[in-house]
Amino acid sequence: MDKPTKGLADVVAASTALSDIDGKAGRLFYRGYDIHDLAGRATFEETAHLLQRGTLPNRAELQAYGDELVAGRELGPLVSANVAEIAEKQKPMEALRSLVSLASADDPDRDSIEPDADLRKAARLTAQQPLLVARYHAARSGKGVPESDPVLSIAGNFLHQVTGRTPSPREAEIFDACLVLHADHTMNASTFAARVCAATLSDMHSAIVAAIGTLKGPLHGGANEQVMKTLESISPDGVAQTVRDKLAAGEKIMGFGHRVYKTEDPRATHLRRMSEELSGDEPKFYRMSKEMEEVVFETKGLYPNVDFYAASVYHYLGIPTDLFTPVFSISRMSGWTAHVIEQHADNRLIRPDSEYIGERDQKWKPIDER
């Protein structure tokens, strides 16, 4: 047997029509559309439709899908009854794992994995995830959540409900583009976890709980939060020296390098511009980020990834730092659910082999002789 590849690096685990990466050229595609053509042009709702239903919608299709999302924003009684207690006892990603699991009991299609049921559940999960994050944040803050505005997009509603103020049209547009940029990214860890779960013919909510549990791990989610904490912990006058000291000590600077991209992450290109635009009269964190980027590239030759400039963008939009990873889940819900749909449509149990490295030919002894 061939030697196993640690971490399954470069091992093709599934066929997918959802997204593709050209790591050498630094390009990302959703169903054949370059991310540079989608970001800032296609809305998150259009992108979710593209991933889940296969096409960029026309006006009638977008209206119908949008109506479905608006109808799906309501949380069921079991989730609503437990948000406050969960917010009191669990951190954000733990809470989302619990709340999505509870949401399965409230879902009218909970007992079905048929194609139409999967489509309906995908839309409801996409609509509910931002509300779950907002309700959690409000509950732990002792505040109420503003009612969803059917006129506002998913992006606009989320900013309104989390910050308590109606975002400017441009703020909503920028956050909408952020959601598009994070919507899917081939066979990353959380997506793989969702597909492994779905491949057992388990239901969509179970697969999404598996994805959220995987995203919770600091080697997958949380890098943007760590970037923000780093920016807040160092002096604006000491960025270059701090970065060089950390690198010399063998410490990792979060937000740099990528398993697949050998050049700049195409999503970082957009997020850098957004950070600069939003910085306005408070350019400190953008300027610090830019200096950090220059020092890391000069010292290590590493490019920023999607997490690096996302940190300052979310900060400028007024999103609390410990909600950065939950925000990732809001966007990625569109991709996770699309992968579950795809897995259920052409399923085979995912069951890789393993290489045994333990002891052999052990002889059993009764307990009194051990």
Side-chain angles (χ1 to χ4, degrees):
M1 185 175 71
D2 293 338
K3 192 75 174 175
T5 301
K6 195 170 184 178
L8 299 181
D10 301 320
V11 173
V12 176
S15 298
T16 181
L18 296 173
S19 61
D20 188 30
I21 296 171
D22 182 339
K24 292 182 179 179
R27 300 181 74 189
L28 169 63
F29 304 88
Y30 296 165
R31 290 195 182 273
Y33 291 94
D34 194 311
I35 194 66
H36 293 311
D37 289 332
L38 296 175
R41 293 177 175 175
T43 64
F44 178 60
E45 285 82 354
E46 289 176 274
T47 303
H49 188 284
L50 171 66
L51 291 170
Q52 294 168 354
R53 305 191 176 189
T55 62
L56 282 174
N58 59 32
R59 290 191 182 279
E61 290 168 335
L62 182 59
Q63 181 64 51
Y65 183 64
D67 291 344
E68 197 173 342
L69 292 173
V70 170
R73 285 178 187 169
E74 294 299 320
L75 299 181
L78 187 59
V79 172
S80 297
N82 286 276
V83 171
E85 185 174 357
I86 286 173
E88 181 182 344
K89 296 180 178 179
Q90 293 190 306
K91 295 178 181 179
M93 289 302 292
E94 296 168 350
L96 287 178
R97 182 188 61 203
S98 299
L99 292 170
V100 170
S101 185
L102 286 175
S104 67
D106 290 327
D107 195 284
D109 290 305
R110 61 183 175 274
D111 296 323
S112 176
I113 61 170
E114 291 300 311
D116 286 348
D118 270 357
L119 287 173
R120 290 191 294 268
K121 283 190 282 190
R124 279 193 288 270
L125 282 161
T126 301
Q128 289 172 2
Q129 193 70 359
L131 185 55
L132 289 177
V133 178
R135 285 279 184 91
Y136 167 84
H137 180 57
R140 69 176 182 174
S141 305
K143 299 177 181 178
V145 177
E147 288 295 321
S148 295
D149 184 343
V151 175
L152 290 177
S153 64
I154 285 176
N157 260 307
F158 178 74
L159 290 179
H160 177 49
Q161 292 182 322
V162 164
T163 66
R165 64 175 182 82
T166 302
S168 70
R170 183 55 182 152
E171 286 174 322
E173 287 174 359
I174 286 175
F175 186 55
D176 187 87
C178 289
L179 296 181
V180 171
L181 290 169
H182 287 85
D184 196 47
H185 206 244
T186 69
M187 204 58 62
N188 57 84
S190 55
T191 297
F192 184 55
R195 290 193 74 132
V196 169
C197 183
T200 69
L201 297 185
S202 191
D203 64 286
M204 182 173 285
H205 283 81
S206 294
I208 298 307
V209 170
I212 291 173
T214 307
L215 182 65
K216 176 180 175 290
L219 292 185
H220 184 21
N224 48 18
E225 181 179 342
Q226 293 306 313
V227 170
M228 197 65 229
K229 289 180 177 178
T230 299
L231 290 170
E232 292 174 328
S233 70
I234 60 180
S235 166
D237 298 325
V239 172
Q241 191 58 52
T242 300
V243 171
R244 291 192 180 97
D245 289 345
K246 284 179 177 290
L247 292 174
E251 295 182 35
K252 185 176 181 179
I253 305 296
M254 298 303 291
F256 288 91
H258 196 276
R259 183 86 165 250
V260 179
Y261 294 115
K262 306 307 177 187
T263 184
E264 179 166 286
D265 185 329
R267 301 166 297 176
T269 306
H270 294 271
L271 289 160
R272 183 191 293 106
R273 289 199 296 264
M274 294 176 195
S275 178
E276 181 179 19
E277 179 180 345
L278 287 170
S279 64
D281 297 330
E282 300 178 29
K284 181 177 77 169
F285 290 124
Y286 168 72
R287 289 177 179 173
M288 291 174 68
S289 299
K290 196 73 173 67
E291 185 176 359
M292 191 178 292
E293 176 188 358
E294 291 167 357
V295 174
V296 171
F297 185 79
E298 174 190 315
T299 308
K300 289 289 187 179
L302 295 176
Y303 295 92
N305 58 39
V306 69
D307 297 306
F308 186 65
Y309 280 101
S312 52
V313 169
Y314 292 165
H315 173 80
Y316 287 131
L317 289 171
I319 299 171
T321 301
D322 69 346
L323 294 186
F324 286 5
T325 305
V327 165
F328 188 112
S329 78
I330 292 171
S331 174
R332 191 54 59 85
M333 187 64 75
S334 60
W336 287 335
T337 53
H339 278 275
V340 173
I341 291 167
E342 189 176 59
Q343 186 67 42
H344 281 166
D346 184 22
N347 188 60
R348 183 175 183 181
L349 183 69
I350 298 173
R351 205 292 191 188
D353 204 353
S354 60
E355 178 190 30
Y356 178 71
I357 60 171
E359 300 288 341
R360 296 186 184 276
D361 301 321
Q362 297 272 58
K363 303 300 181 182
W364 182 87
K365 294 180 181 179
I367 193 168
D368 292 334
E369 296 179 19
R370 295 175 203 162

